Amino acid sequence: MINEFRKGLRFESYEAKAVSPFEKLFDIFKELITYTSGDFDEAFDWLEQLDREYQLTTPEYTLDDFLEDLKKKGYLKEEIEDPNGKGGLKITAKTEQAIRQNALDQIFGKLRKSSLGNHKTKAIGQGDEHTGEFRNYHFGDSLDRISMTESIKNAQINNGIGNFSLTENDLVVEETNFKAQMSTVLMIDISHSMILYGEDRITPAKKVAMALTELIKTRYPKDTIDIMVFGNDAWPISVKELPYLKVGPYHTNTVAGLQLAMDILRRKRNTNKQIFMITDGKPSCLRLSDGTYYKNSNGLDKYIVEKCYNMASQARKLHIPITTFMIAQDPYLMQFIEQFTRANQGKAFYTGLKGLGEMIFEDYEQNRKKRIRGI
């Protein structure tokens, strides 16, 4: 009997991937623990409410079973209550990593495939991104860069097949693209306005920070990323602190944030440096030389604004572009950001919360393809 192979498409009924009860609940739990800034008790209360409303569990697998699995799998740990009354169940480092990976999957998974790939510059140099172009071998070239196929072909052409010999003149090297390294500082506004007007703006900012950090650590390990927050003052935070990040009763000291970001980048040895700033409000605070604070929440204070423009100009002189992601679209604030961007010769994006992550990731990918110091 002759088997016939026919080309074409074959359509079948869609079958969802089998997901265990634990995995289904864990996906929801990771979202809740991000929104509650790492507060397990609050997240589990929300999970119980969702279970009552949407019947997430079954008699065969209850929330008690899920809780036990979280402990067994190392996602929760029991802490002894201290004199301040703090204790109980806490998430572990394993959970923190899972939250970062979840944020990465959510944001990075939405990007177009065409935007992915190993980042490279247009400059020729040592790297592992092949260009398809060849040149003659020069003394000092690494032996692993010699293209043996092309070199043997040259030897056959130059010396004949019958009397084969391979000489230095036959050797060719395939060019590769030089891969630039990037040092990034991500500034996150934690002033009170990030939760005003019934809109949670800090959680999407946290997710972006966690996802970008996880991307760089796993995909671009030679790059560096530093996370810092700014309110009345500015201070760096560790990756471990990200899930627990909250806003405070702060004004917005953009100048302090930029000063700290530039101080961090001055210590980096990478040529390519950049600042990403996520903010939703106007600069409204400065710390004066005597340690007191100058604050003005009523509008764009001229004294504060001029200090911001000066910081933008300083960053430009240090060849550090600032990309501002403005989570607000008030016309007078947009005018300030436009002037600030001109002073730095950087970029600005005016965006709501939707699409913030994809926008930051695409900009990071794009910046990695060019030599920023040359702009």
Side-chain angles (χ1 to χ4, degrees):
M1 182 177 180
I2 300 175
N3 291 325
E4 293 185 1
F5 295 93
R6 297 181 179 178
K7 295 181 179 180
L9 300 176
R10 181 178 178 181
F11 294 91
E12 296 179 350
S13 299
Y14 171 75
E15 294 184 6
K17 181 182 177 181
V19 178
S20 69
F22 173 80
E23 291 173 325
K24 181 178 73 172
L25 290 173
F26 191 49
D27 284 342
I28 300 171
F29 175 75
K30 286 184 288 187
E31 284 292 308
L32 296 178
I33 204 71
T34 302
Y35 278 94
T36 62
S37 297
D39 188 324
F40 169 78
D41 293 331
E42 185 180 358
F44 207 78
D45 286 343
W46 284 9
L47 189 59
E48 288 177 330
Q49 293 179 34
L50 290 172
D51 183 35
R52 287 194 294 269
E53 187 171 351
Y54 298 102
Q55 290 77 50
L56 301 176
T57 61
T58 64
E60 292 76 25
Y61 193 85
T62 66
L63 283 180
D64 288 337
D65 295 324
F66 174 63
L67 185 59
E68 287 303 311
D69 280 346
L70 286 174
K71 295 177 183 177
K72 290 177 183 177
K73 294 176 185 289
Y75 292 110
L76 287 180
K77 61 183 177 182
E78 189 86 36
E79 288 194 349
I80 300 174
E81 190 168 311
D82 60 25
N84 297 321
K86 294 182 179 179
L89 291 171
K90 306 290 183 182
I91 64 175
T92 64
K94 185 177 181 181
T95 309
E96 293 164 0
Q97 197 281 328
I99 295 171
R100 294 197 302 271
Q101 184 62 49
N102 185 58
L104 177 63
D105 293 340
Q106 286 182 352
I107 296 172
F108 203 55
K110 296 177 182 179
L111 297 178
R112 301 185 306 273
K113 287 185 179 180
S114 61
S115 69
L116 309 186
N118 292 325
H119 304 309
K120 56 183 183 294
T121 67
K122 294 180 181 179
I124 299 299
Q126 289 189 349
D128 55 13
E129 186 74 26
H130 298 283
T131 66
E133 299 177 357
F134 299 93
R135 63 169 173 79
N136 292 333
Y137 172 84
H138 298 305
F139 178 77
D141 285 334
S142 175
L143 295 179
D144 60 4
R145 297 181 62 200
I146 295 175
S147 173
M148 294 308 301
T149 302
E150 292 295 321
S151 298
I152 291 173
K153 184 174 73 173
N154 286 345
Q156 291 174 340
I157 294 172
N158 297 334
N159 306 313
I161 298 177
N163 185 25
F164 178 79
S165 63
L166 182 67
T167 69
E168 183 178 340
N169 293 331
D170 301 319
L171 299 178
V172 293
V173 171
E174 184 172 4
E175 293 283 20
T176 55
N177 276 316
F178 175 85
K179 288 193 174 180
Q181 296 176 7
M182 176 72 74
S183 288
T184 302
V185 171
L186 178 60
M187 298 172 51
I188 303 176
D189 184 350
I190 58 168
S191 61
H192 186 58
S193 61
M194 290 289 276
I195 55 170
L196 283 181
Y197 316 116
E199 187 173 46
D200 175 12
R201 295 167 173 175
I202 190 63
T203 299
K206 280 195 300 187
K207 280 191 173 184
V208 168
M210 289 190 291
L212 189 58
T213 301
E214 193 67 12
L215 172 77
I216 291 172
K217 285 182 174 293
T218 55
R219 185 161 182 158
Y220 308 114
K222 292 184 179 180
D223 285 9
T224 67
I225 181 166
D226 291 87
I227 312 294
M228 51 155 293
V229 295
F230 61 106
N232 290 348
D233 296 289
W235 62 94
I237 63 172
S238 66
V239 175
K240 181 180 175 61
E241 295 175 86
L242 276 173
Y244 312 98
L245 188 61
K246 297 180 181 179
V247 302
Y250 305 126
H251 287 69
T252 307
N253 192 342
T254 307
V255 170
L258 293 170
Q259 285 175 332
L260 178 57
M262 283 191 281
D263 286 344
I264 291 171
L265 290 175
R266 282 190 186 99
R267 298 192 292 267
K268 301 297 181 183
R269 301 178 67 179
N270 290 345
T271 301
N272 294 321
K273 302 174 183 180
Q274 64 181 351
I275 295 172
F276 284 171
M277 179 168 64
I278 304 175
T279 182
D280 75 325
K282 57 185 176 294
S284 57
C285 175
L286 285 176
R287 188 169 187 174
L288 304 177
S289 57
D290 62 0
T292 60
Y293 293 94
Y294 174 80
K295 300 175 183 178
N296 186 349
S297 301
N298 296 325
L300 289 173
D301 185 283
K302 185 176 180 181
Y303 179 61
I304 297 175
V305 166
E306 286 300 322
K307 291 286 187 181
C308 290
Y309 294 156
N310 290 340
M311 293 304 300
S313 298
Q314 285 183 38
R316 176 171 54 83
K317 292 175 182 177
L318 293 171
H319 306 286
I320 301 175
I322 302 170
T323 303
T324 305
F325 297 89
M326 191 73 175
I327 317 175
Q329 297 187 14
D330 304 75
Y332 77 106
L333 291 180
M334 292 172 68
Q335 185 176 2
F336 158 69
I337 292 297
E338 287 172 5
Q339 184 69 27
F340 176 85
T341 302
R342 277 197 296 270
N344 176 254
Q345 294 184 1
K347 286 181 286 186
F349 296 92
Y350 306 97
T351 175
L353 300 177
K354 186 177 180 181
L356 172 66
E358 293 92 323
M359 197 174 292
I360 288 180
F361 270 50
E362 287 180 340
D363 197 61
Y364 181 81
E365 295 269 332
Q366 185 64 36
N367 289 351
R368 285 287 278 106
K369 295 177 184 176
K370 64 186 179 183
R371 304 282 292 180
I372 286 185
R373 192 175 179 83
I375 65 175

